Amino acid sequence: MAKAKLKQRLSGYWKMEAGNVLLMPIVLAFLAGWNLSWVTILSFVPMMMLLIIGAYYWRAKLKQLEDRSYRFDAAMQIISTSQVPALILTLLATAAVAYGWLTPGVFSGGWEQGVATFAAVLAGLEYINYYHRQLQHFDHGPDFKRLLAGKGLRPSQMARDLQAYRRT
C-alpha cells in the first residue's frame, strides 16, 4: 500500500514539473504582456532547466521504484553533470535581473520587471530545493508536520541520491 501511494505521488511530481516547464513561461509572458526583454528571457532559462531536471529526477525515481533493473545511476550522472551549469545560469539570470533593476529602460514596463524577478528567484529556490535542502513541505503531510515541529530543513531527496551516487 505504501509503495502504491509513493508511486502515485512520484507520478504526479514529475508530471507537475514537466507541465510547469511550459506553463510557467507562458503564464509569466502573458503577465508581462508578451513584450519580453533579453533579461526576462534569460531569467526563464534556468527556471525551465531546473524544472526539467526536477521532472527528470522524479521520473527516474518512479522508474527505479517500478523496475529494479532501471539504471538510476545513469540518470544521476546527468543530474550531477547539470548541477554546475544550472547554478551558473541561475547566477547569470539573477545578475541580469539586478542589472535590469538598476538600469533604466531595460524592461518594457508593466509587470515585466516582476516577472523576470520571479523567474530568477524561482530558479534559485528550485536549485536549493533540488540540489541542497528540501524547501517544499506543503504537498506531503509528514514533511509539513516535520517543518512545523521545528526540525529544520533536511537535505533534499535528490541531494541524498547525488551524495550516494558521487560516493560510488
Side-chain angles (χ1 to χ4, degrees):
M1 183 64 133
K3 189 174 179 178
K5 282 189 173 192
L6 180 58
K7 281 183 182 181
Q8 183 180 12
R9 205 167 86 231
L10 292 178
S11 179
Y13 280 167
W14 84 262
K15 290 173 186 170
M16 177 183 63
E17 296 292 89
N20 279 329
V21 172
L22 297 174
L23 184 63
M24 289 301 295
I26 290 170
V27 168
L28 293 174
F30 172 77
L31 290 174
W34 302 102
N35 191 10
L36 306 177
S37 67
W38 66 270
V39 170
T40 303
I41 293 168
L42 177 62
S43 73
F44 286 6
V45 173
M47 174 189 72
M48 293 170 71
M49 179 183 185
L50 284 152
L51 289 168
I52 289 167
I53 290 168
Y56 181 64
Y57 172 72
W58 290 121
R59 177 75 172 132
K61 284 301 282 184
L62 178 61
K63 289 185 113 8
Q64 180 189 40
L65 191 61
E66 293 173 339
D67 179 6
R68 291 222 180 258
S69 66
Y70 176 70
R71 297 237 9 243
F72 186 66
D73 60 324
M76 292 312 296
Q77 180 180 11
I78 291 168
I79 290 168
S80 179
T81 303
S82 300
Q83 185 172 2
V84 171
L87 177 59
I88 290 169
L89 286 170
T90 301
L91 294 173
L92 282 173
T94 302
V97 169
Y99 170 80
W101 274 88
L102 298 172
T103 307
V106 171
F107 294 111
S108 63
W111 287 25
E112 188 192 3
Q113 199 169 12
V115 161
T117 303
F118 177 82
V121 168
L122 182 61
L125 292 173
E126 288 286 5
Y127 179 84
I128 292 166
N129 187 53
Y130 279 117
Y131 284 104
H132 298 288
R133 296 279 174 197
Q134 179 183 343
L135 299 178
Q136 184 174 322
H137 289 83
F138 59 84
D139 61 341
H140 185 50
D143 287 341
F144 190 63
K145 286 179 186 175
R146 184 180 183 285
L147 181 67
L148 291 178
K151 295 186 179 176
L153 300 176
R154 68 178 176 190
S156 68
Q157 182 64 49
M158 193 171 94
R160 292 182 293 204
D161 284 342
L162 276 171
Q163 186 177 38
Y165 165 75
R166 289 171 177 159
R167 267 191 251 126
T168 60

